[in-house]
Amino acid sequence: MPEDLAIRIEDLSISYKVSLEAKRTLKNAVMRASLKQKERTRTIEAVKHLTLDVPHGSVLGIVGSNGAGKSTLMRCVAGILSPTEGRVTVNGKISTLLALGVGFNPALSGRDNIILGGLASGLNMDEISNKTDEIAEFAALPDGFIDLPVRTYSSGMYGRLSFAVAVSMTPDILLLDEALSAGDAAFKEKSFERMRQLCAEARTIVIVSHALATVTDLCDSAIWMHKGQMLSKGKPEAIVDEYLKFLNVGSLPSSYEDM
Amino acid sequence: MPVNENFVPKIQVFEPHRASLPPLGPYLKEFWTRRVFATELARFSDKAEYLDSRLGKVWLVLNPLLLGLIYYLVVEIIRPGGGLPGLTRLDHLLIGLFTFYFAQNCVTAGAQSITLGGRLILNQAFPRALLPLSCAIQAFQQFLWTIPVYIFVLIGGKLAYPTTEVPGWTWNFLWIPFIVICTGLTGFGLALIFATLNVYFRDTNKLLTYITRIWMYLSPVLWLPSSLRGHMKILLWVNPLGPVLNATSRVWVSGVSLNKSTIVGCIFWALASILMGGYYFISRERDFAIRI
């Protein structure tokens, strides 16, 4: 892989089978086996023959409707899901925020959860200890909340803490899935600022967002995915325009808000 | 754009991998590197479990003590005497129960570790076996709390009934770490199997409640290994915990050394559980994020 690339995706396809049964249980499996019936399944082709290079220091936005395969693609880049065909090569330390509240035990304090989240991300105890106060400050938790159980947090505080843990890992590659929907306008601006700083340090960011303004504001390139395929790739404004035309909602200001 | 000055190249390649083992070298290296996550997760889970309890960690001692008392009463009512002095029977039952519960806690908590770790699994790439491992570590830590309880009962019993024989210090106690390691490995290996099954069949956990209960009655906890006659002796060998519980009774209660067949049995089940559980779990773990 060329040195200037952070991510190389080659002819990637991801498909998986889902059961059509309401609940997969041992009881049903035994019943089926006794009746010599096969389980009813459906194959989902989440990503189809996608090829893409992401250079170091770039911010890539991914847009597309629900079920387009954006989250599956992100999980494959993170190494969480394996490809069915093709290959993904990643060069650098990855930090992910693909589901909010990661590693969070609601009975434990924010501080304890920061340690758990950091360890899950691959940091060591010394690195986490140095970052705990910084994370708490970035998450803008009210005084004393860092030592209270996470179950006492509002959903905004919960989301901000998750985001703060992910961005404070000083990753080479940051993968974010709808993470910026957490927090209020002030926190969003702070998050943007942090991501711009990461970009200035030549770190790579991939963002999945339905908030199209985020894509045009932050990204320097974008792709549009639809039903597992990459329909187009280019400048964020052009991709967003194309996507909006497809959605047939024009460029109404409301389309640029969280949808 | 040039890469940042602190950048350390770390090439990771993700290729098709389904129902077969990933390259084991990098997997085990990553597993070892992140072991602190498993130990800390165990510590925090333990902390969270007793956070809201007024007696807190005192329950770690009270639980096994009350459990031992209940089973002792049950055994005494069903089969009073049982060919052994009461204190020896109590010692056998207590240490057998504590050892059995160590393995059982590995399995029952480990079985749920993947389904309950949903968000973590959806967000992070790490060797998933760390989650059942953290449950095994937590079970081990809880087992450690039961040892003083056992010693306390042993010494208290001897003071109350001076005629009862209890083992004094013997070098045979050096077998104890071997027994504990074999119990932990067997429990962890079985936890890997049930954790995987639970991802595919969500009622596995319900079934496990009955399996563990039957498992205990078939294990030499409420009865003595020496009480088995004829073909029933096979129960000590087909049961993954049979050899370690037999060894537990020999060393902890009688203070005698292990014979060859018991050592081989302990090692066999520890290795078989880890290898079978490890293969089944690791070959399926990339599927977990889809199934959860």
Side-chain angles (χ1 to χ4, degrees), chain A residues 168-196:
Chain A
S168 64
M169 302 300 162
T170 52
D172 301 311
I173 300 160
L174 179 62
L175 305 175
L176 300 171
D177 191 345
E178 284 300 340
L180 299 176
S181 53
D184 50 21
F187 184 73
K188 240 174 228 182
E189 190 45 50
K190 200 163 140 183
S191 311
F192 277 31
E193 198 47 51
R194 175 70 178 136
M195 286 195 280
R196 285 189 193 106

Side-chain angles (χ1 to χ4, degrees), chain A residues 3 12 27 30 59 128 143 160 164 180 206 241 256-257:
Chain A
E3 272 184 18
L12 176 72
K27 190 183 116 193
V30 172
V59 185
I128 298 165
D143 272 351
R160 295 201 305 264
L180 299 176
V206 183
D241 276 351
Y256 280 83
E257 295 305 319

Side-chain angles (χ1 to χ4, degrees), chain A residues 104-110 113 148-154 158 161:
Chain A
F104 282 52
N105 184 328
L108 295 172
S109 69
N113 274 299
L148 289 183
V150 166
R151 65 176 145 74
T152 62
Y153 288 20
S154 68
Y158 198 65
L161 189 61

Side-chain angles (χ1 to χ4, degrees), chain B residues 57-273:
Chain B
K57 290 201 166 187
V58 175
W59 279 112
L60 286 171
V61 176
L62 273 184
N63 260 339
L65 199 61
L66 292 173
L67 207 65
L69 189 68
I70 290 166
Y71 277 109
Y72 181 68
L73 288 175
V74 169
V75 171
E76 276 301 301
I77 290 166
I78 294 172
R79 202 169 166 228
L84 280 176
L87 182 62
T88 312
R89 273 161 65 82
L90 180 63
D91 292 344
H92 165 79
L93 191 139
L94 276 185
I95 197 63
L97 207 58
F98 296 163
T99 308
F100 181 85
Y101 267 80
F102 168 29
Q104 183 191 295
N105 289 342
C106 288
V107 177
T108 51
Q112 293 188 79
S113 61
I114 301 299
T115 47
L116 292 180
R119 281 182 173 170
L120 201 58
I121 284 170
L122 288 175
N123 193 65
Q124 306 273 357
F126 61 90
R128 308 305 192 205
L130 287 169
L131 295 179
L133 177 71
S134 85
C135 295
I137 294 169
Q138 194 183 352
F140 172 68
Q141 287 165 346
Q142 291 177 351
F143 171 72
L144 286 182
W145 282 89
T146 63
I147 293 174
V149 174
Y150 175 74
I151 294 170
F152 175 77
V153 171
L154 194 76
I155 295 171
K158 178 70 181 170
L159 290 175
Y161 303 99
T163 51
T164 314
E165 276 186 32
V166 294
W169 164 256
T170 154
W171 289 104
N172 292 329
F173 286 149
L174 293 179
W175 281 108
I176 289 172
F178 167 78
I179 297 169
V180 172
I181 289 169
C182 287
T183 310
L185 288 176
T186 308
F188 176 50
L190 294 174
L192 291 172
I193 294 173
F194 282 102
T196 313
L197 272 177
N198 205 28
V199 171
Y200 291 98
F201 307 106
R202 293 303 168 93
D203 56 345
T204 303
N205 224 41
K206 278 186 188 169
L207 190 70
L208 204 52
T209 316
Y210 298 101
I211 291 175
T212 51
R213 208 168 291 172
I214 295 167
W215 191 17
M216 191 177 84
Y217 298 143
L218 292 177
S219 300
V221 175
L222 303 183
W223 42 269
L224 292 164
S226 56
S227 63
L228 292 179
R229 295 280 175 269
H231 65 274
M232 288 300 280
K233 280 187 180 173
I234 201 167
L235 275 181
L236 285 180
W237 307 106
V238 295
N239 175 353
L241 286 184
V244 287
L245 288 168
N246 187 15
T248 298
S249 185
R250 287 178 70 92
V251 175
W252 283 92
V253 182
S254 311
V256 297
S257 183
L258 300 183
N259 54 28
K260 262 187 198 164
S261 58
T262 307
I263 297 169
V264 170
C266 291
I267 295 173
F268 169 79
W269 276 115
L271 285 180
S273 306

Side-chain angles (χ1 to χ4, degrees), chain A residues 167-236:
Chain A
V167 294
S168 64
M169 302 300 162
T170 52
D172 301 311
I173 300 160
L174 179 62
L175 305 175
L176 300 171
D177 191 345
E178 284 300 340
L180 299 176
S181 53
D184 50 21
F187 184 73
K188 240 174 228 182
E189 190 45 50
K190 200 163 140 183
S191 311
F192 277 31
E193 198 47 51
R194 175 70 178 136
M195 286 195 280
R196 285 189 193 106
Q197 187 193 337
L198 288 172
C199 294
E201 292 167 3
R203 301 181 199 276
T204 310
I205 302 177
V206 183
I207 302 173
V208 165
S209 185
H210 286 288
L212 301 178
T214 303
V215 177
T216 49
D217 282 2
L218 271 178
C219 303
D220 41 41
S221 67
I223 63 167
W224 169 24
M225 285 186 72
H226 184 67
K227 292 186 177 174
Q229 286 179 312
M230 185 172 71
L231 291 189
S232 56
K233 178 188 164 196
K235 287 279 170 200

Side-chain angles (χ1 to χ4, degrees), chain A residues 15-17 24-27 29 56-57 75-92 94 96-103 105 107-108 112 115-116 119-122 125 151 158 172 201-203, chain B residues 1-18 34 36-37 40-41 43-45 47-48 51-52 119-126 128 197 199-204 206-207 285-287 289-291:
Chain A
S15 59
Y16 50 85
K17 277 184 186 169
R24 293 190 82 202
T25 60
L26 270 175
K27 190 183 116 193
H56 281 292
R75 293 208 164 93
C76 190
V77 172
I80 296 166
L81 292 175
S82 63
T84 310
E85 283 174 45
R87 169 208 286 242
V88 175
T89 312
V90 177
N91 186 7
I94 303 175
T96 49
L97 186 50
L98 307 178
L100 279 186
V102 174
N105 184 328
L108 295 172
D112 292 344
I115 295 173
L116 275 184
L119 287 171
S121 305
M125 285 300 262
R151 65 176 145 74
Y158 198 65
D172 301 311
E201 292 167 3
R203 301 181 199 276
Chain B
M1 185 184 275
V3 293
N4 71 77
E5 55 194 26
N6 299 323
F7 179 76
V8 180
K10 186 187 175 192
I11 300 274
Q12 297 176 75
V13 180
F14 306 121
E15 287 177 320
H17 148 76
R18 182 173 291 173
R34 299 225 189 174
V36 183
F37 170 61
E40 288 300 304
L41 187 60
R43 190 169 70 85
F44 281 121
S45 302
K47 183 178 169 185
L51 214 54
D52 291 330
R119 281 182 173 170
L120 201 58
I121 284 170
L122 288 175
N123 193 65
Q124 306 273 357
F126 61 90
R128 308 305 192 205
L197 272 177
V199 171
Y200 291 98
F201 307 106
R202 293 303 168 93
D203 56 345
T204 303
K206 278 186 188 169
L207 190 70
E285 70 166 61
R286 288 263 189 115
D287 209 22
I290 295 166
R291 305 285 167 194

